[in-house]
């Protein structure tokens, strides 16, 4: 076991360790409440999938709750919940994570459970488990995407924003055809490639004894062999701007017309991404935002208007616009008002009051996130996996607070333009009008999760529900 790195100065107290098999361990001791959070991030998401096998990362997230060598069936849930803890797992474009929050005296149990499935899941993985969880994921797709109003908007806009063949062209939920095509050999190969200690970061936060915690980590994870066969993810880089507008109109049975758009924005982890986040907060976050005031309050063209940031580190981030129209208001009128507000913002930037309010809003959301041991554990894993340094958690907020109004204006002027977006328009079709035309598939769209924005940042995560896994 490597010597621990010194605790970060200020902010969260952080120590880092690395086991001989490559597992990176991040600890943060906090005795305020008698609970501990365990978070395990694997560096695998939908961007690592290949054509014809989309959805495999998310399917495997479900399989990880289906039983391992020493914990059959639904035992992982039963043991954690029986000990007074909570747990879940999610999949995104860029990672898969698993997490438990436990009474502090049950920490060892959570570590053993995570190590058991990392080290022995293959011993329990069989065709019955695969078929069971394949059906669960297909039903999740029906419930969250295919059979709800605007449910496939996230999928359609992602396919438009990232060209065919791009690693982010498809969403983590995958297609029905690819889910059906996944074989037991596919699942076993996926696990062997990506579910290895040297492809993971484990964080433990809360009321812990660091030395004892490390002994448990070494005891349960230390004997799991590393795997060096992971292929490098495909390049997700693109030009800063798209250079054109892509547009798709969908006619479906939806409650109202909708205008949605995805703008290509800077990669996560950059100062420009923080500036873009502030721009979208001023423009479209909450009822004090410019778009809400213009579209809902003043012009009464919409019943809802939001603009959020889907942060991505391995590809351009996306600015996610979502407007639902009011009454007989047309999409053309809404779009004209949106473009007018974006042009004005690009020319003038935020007022001092708007910038201060946006920074305060982001600060509040960040502090709410770090208030829980599970939120802290997740952020430590995030910064370790995506950016190589969990200590960045301690400077994340200060970096946002240092962004200037001119930087916010500049990123808006450069990126929030009609020639740098994909536009998705929904037109309602009532049942008496007959069935809606078939929606083009993703390849047709680009040639011209989690469901709708501005919740798009969360929409890329598919959480495993306790009763489903």
């Amino acid at each position: 076991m490597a010597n621990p790195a010194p605790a970060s100065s200020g902010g969260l107290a952080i120590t880092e360790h690395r086991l001989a098999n490559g597992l990176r361990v991040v600890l943060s001791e906090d005795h305020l409440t008698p609970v501990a959070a365990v978070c395990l991030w694997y560096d695998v998401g939908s961007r690592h999938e290949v054509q014809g096998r989309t959805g495999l990362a998310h399917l495997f997230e479900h399989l990880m709750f289906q039983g391992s060598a020493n914990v059959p069936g639904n035992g992982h849930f039963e043991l954690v919940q029986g000990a007074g803890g909570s747990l879940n797992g999610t999949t995104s474009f860029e990672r898969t994570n698993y997490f438990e929050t436990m009474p502090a005296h049950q920490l060892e149990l959570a570590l053993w459970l995570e190590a058991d499935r990392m080290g022995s899941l293959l011993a329990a993985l069989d065709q019955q488990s695969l078929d069971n969880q394949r059906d669960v994921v297909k039903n999740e797709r029906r419930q969250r995407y295919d059979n709800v109003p605007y449910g496939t908007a996230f999928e359609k806009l992602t396919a438009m924003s990232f060209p065919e063949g791009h690693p982010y062209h498809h969403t983590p939920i995958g297609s029905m055809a690819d889910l059906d095509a996944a074989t037991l050999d596919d699942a076993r190969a996926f696990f062997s490639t990506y579910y290895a200690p040297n492809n993971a970061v484990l964080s433990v936060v809360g009321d812990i004894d660091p030395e004892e915690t490390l002994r448990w980590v070494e005891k349960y994870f230390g004997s799991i062999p590393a795997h060096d066969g992971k292929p490098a993810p495909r390049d997700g880089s693109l030009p800063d701007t798209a250079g054109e507008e892509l547009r798709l109109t969908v006619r479906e049975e939806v409650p109202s017309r909708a205008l949605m758009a995805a703008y290509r924005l800077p990669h996560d982890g950059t100062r420009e991404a923080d500036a873009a986040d502030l721009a979208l907060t001023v423009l479209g976050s909450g009822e004090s935002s410019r778009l809400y005031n213009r579209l809902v309050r003043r012009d009464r063209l919409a019943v809802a208007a939001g603009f959020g940031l889907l942060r991505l580190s391995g590809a351009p981030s996306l600015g996610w616009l979502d407007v639902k129209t009011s009454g007989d208001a047309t999409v053309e009128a809404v779009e004209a008002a949106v473009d007018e507000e974006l042009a004005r913002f690009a020319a003038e930037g935020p007022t001092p009051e708007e910038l201060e309010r946006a920074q305060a809003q982001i600060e509040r959301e960040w502090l709410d996130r770090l208030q829980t041991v599970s939120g802290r554990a997740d952020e430590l894993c995030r910064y370790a996996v995506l950016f190589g340094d969990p200590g960045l958690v301690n400077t994340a907020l200060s970096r946002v607070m240092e962004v200037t109004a001119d930087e916010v204006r500049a990123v808006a002027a450069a990126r929030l333009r009609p020639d740098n977006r994909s536009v998705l328009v929904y037109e309602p079709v009532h049942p008496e009008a007959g069935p809606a035309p078939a929606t083009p598939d993703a390849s047709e769209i680009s040639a011209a999760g989690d469901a709708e924005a501005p919740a798009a940042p969360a929409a890329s995560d598919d959480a495993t529900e306790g009763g489903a896994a």
Side-chain angles (χ1 to χ4, degrees):
M1 181 181 296
N3 291 327
S8 301
S9 58
L12 302 183
I14 301 168
T15 56
E16 289 188 62
H17 314 260
R18 193 180 291 271
L19 304 193
N21 59 11
L23 179 67
R24 193 170 181 182
V25 183
V26 183
L27 305 180
S28 182
E29 186 178 2
D30 174 12
H31 301 288
L32 186 62
T33 55
V35 294
V38 172
C39 186
L40 187 61
W41 272 45
Y42 290 93
D43 186 11
V44 58
S46 59
R47 69 171 177 155
H48 296 86
E49 296 165 350
V50 298
Q51 187 174 5
R53 290 298 183 269
T54 65
L56 197 55
H58 177 227
L59 174 59
F60 216 94
E61 174 214 315
H62 282 255
L63 288 171
M64 284 284 277
F65 289 93
Q66 189 64 15
S68 52
N70 298 300
V71 187
N74 208 38
H76 195 111
F77 278 100
E78 293 168 356
L79 287 168
V80 170
Q81 292 171 344
S86 61
L87 72 163
N88 217 320
T90 69
T91 307
S92 78
F93 290 99
E94 300 181 323
R95 58 96 185 105
T96 307
N97 68 344
Y98 302 90
F99 44 94
E100 295 88 6
T101 300
M102 305 289 284
H105 68 282
Q106 295 286 1
L107 171 60
E108 185 180 9
L109 172 63
L111 293 171
W112 175 74
L113 285 167
E114 288 294 356
D116 185 63
R117 59 183 175 181
M118 177 191 282
S120 73
L121 187 100
L122 280 186
L125 183 59
D126 57 21
Q127 191 65 48
Q128 182 179 359
S129 297
L130 176 62
D131 291 342
N132 175 285
Q133 291 307 302
R134 188 203 324 265
D135 287 343
V136 170
V137 172
K138 289 170 68 176
N139 193 48
E140 179 182 334
R141 181 183 168 90
R142 293 184 190 101
Q143 291 179 338
R144 298 182 60 188
Y145 288 74
D146 297 336
N147 297 334
V148 295
Y150 317 107
T152 58
F154 181 59
E155 194 170 46
K156 287 181 172 67
L157 272 175
T158 299
M160 295 169 71
S161 300
F162 299 112
E164 184 78 33
H166 191 277
Y168 292 69
H169 178 72
H170 67 277
T171 58
I173 193 67
S175 73
M176 286 292 197
D178 287 356
L179 289 169
D180 283 334
T183 67
L184 188 57
D185 285 343
D186 290 331
R188 287 172 172 160
F190 191 87
F191 178 85
S192 298
T193 301
Y194 295 107
Y195 278 76
N198 54 320
N199 194 46
V201 171
L202 172 71
S203 67
V204 186
V205 176
D207 188 16
I208 64 173
D209 178 328
E211 292 185 0
E212 182 179 51
T213 301
L214 281 172
R215 285 196 297 271
W216 287 334
V217 171
E218 181 66 62
K219 177 180 178 181
Y220 298 123
F221 289 90
S223 62
I224 302 172
H227 178 72
D228 296 325
K230 175 186 171 182
R234 289 172 293 148
D235 183 15
S237 61
L238 290 170
D240 286 350
T241 56
E244 63 178 337
E245 180 186 88
L246 297 178
R247 183 174 290 264
L248 174 68
T249 298
V250 176
R251 301 183 185 277
E252 289 184 359
E253 292 178 20
V254 292
S256 67
R257 296 185 180 93
L259 171 69
M260 302 183 188
Y263 292 77
R264 188 180 295 180
L265 293 176
H267 289 238
D268 191 18
T270 63
R271 189 177 177 97
E272 292 79 11
D274 289 336
D277 200 356
L278 287 164
L280 300 191
T281 301
V282 172
L283 286 164
S285 182
E287 296 184 4
S288 64
S289 67
R290 289 196 181 191
L291 290 178
Y292 190 93
N293 277 321
R294 170 71 184 271
L295 298 170
V296 180
R297 284 204 174 102
R298 197 191 91 178
D299 294 353
R300 299 188 178 181
L301 295 171
V303 294
F307 213 173
L309 180 64
L310 172 57
R311 287 180 176 263
L312 298 171
S313 64
S317 301
L318 294 179
W320 210 272
L321 174 72
D322 184 358
V323 182
K324 304 297 192 309
T325 65
S326 174
D328 293 328
T330 66
V331 168
E332 290 78 12
V334 168
E335 188 169 2
V338 168
D339 286 345
E340 184 178 312
E341 288 299 320
L342 296 187
R344 184 164 68 91
F345 190 82
E348 301 172 0
T351 66
E353 293 77 16
E354 285 177 324
L355 180 59
E356 182 180 3
R357 186 166 59 243
Q359 289 172 323
Q361 182 173 333
I362 290 174
E363 179 180 24
R364 182 180 67 251
E365 292 167 354
W366 178 248
L367 294 178
D368 285 345
R369 177 82 171 137
L370 297 191
Q371 188 174 17
T372 65
V373 290
S374 59
R376 276 174 264 159
D378 194 56
E379 290 298 336
L380 289 172
C381 280
R382 171 175 171 257
Y383 280 104
V385 170
L386 299 182
F387 306 109
D389 182 6
L392 290 171
V393 73
N394 284 326
T395 57
L397 183 59
S398 63
R399 292 195 299 273
V400 174
M401 305 303 281
E402 292 168 358
V403 174
T404 67
D406 191 58
E407 289 174 297
V408 175
R409 185 206 61 76
V411 76
R415 305 294 190 105
L416 300 182
R417 299 165 19 183
D419 64 350
N420 187 41
R421 68 186 178 191
S422 299
V423 177
L424 179 61
V425 174
Y426 278 88
E427 289 287 350
V429 173
H430 299 295
E432 59 269 22
T439 301
D441 102 350
S443 61
E444 295 171 332
I445 294 170
S446 62
D450 347 287
E452 67 182 85
S460 61
D461 290 356
D462 290 297
T464 299
E465 298 297 335

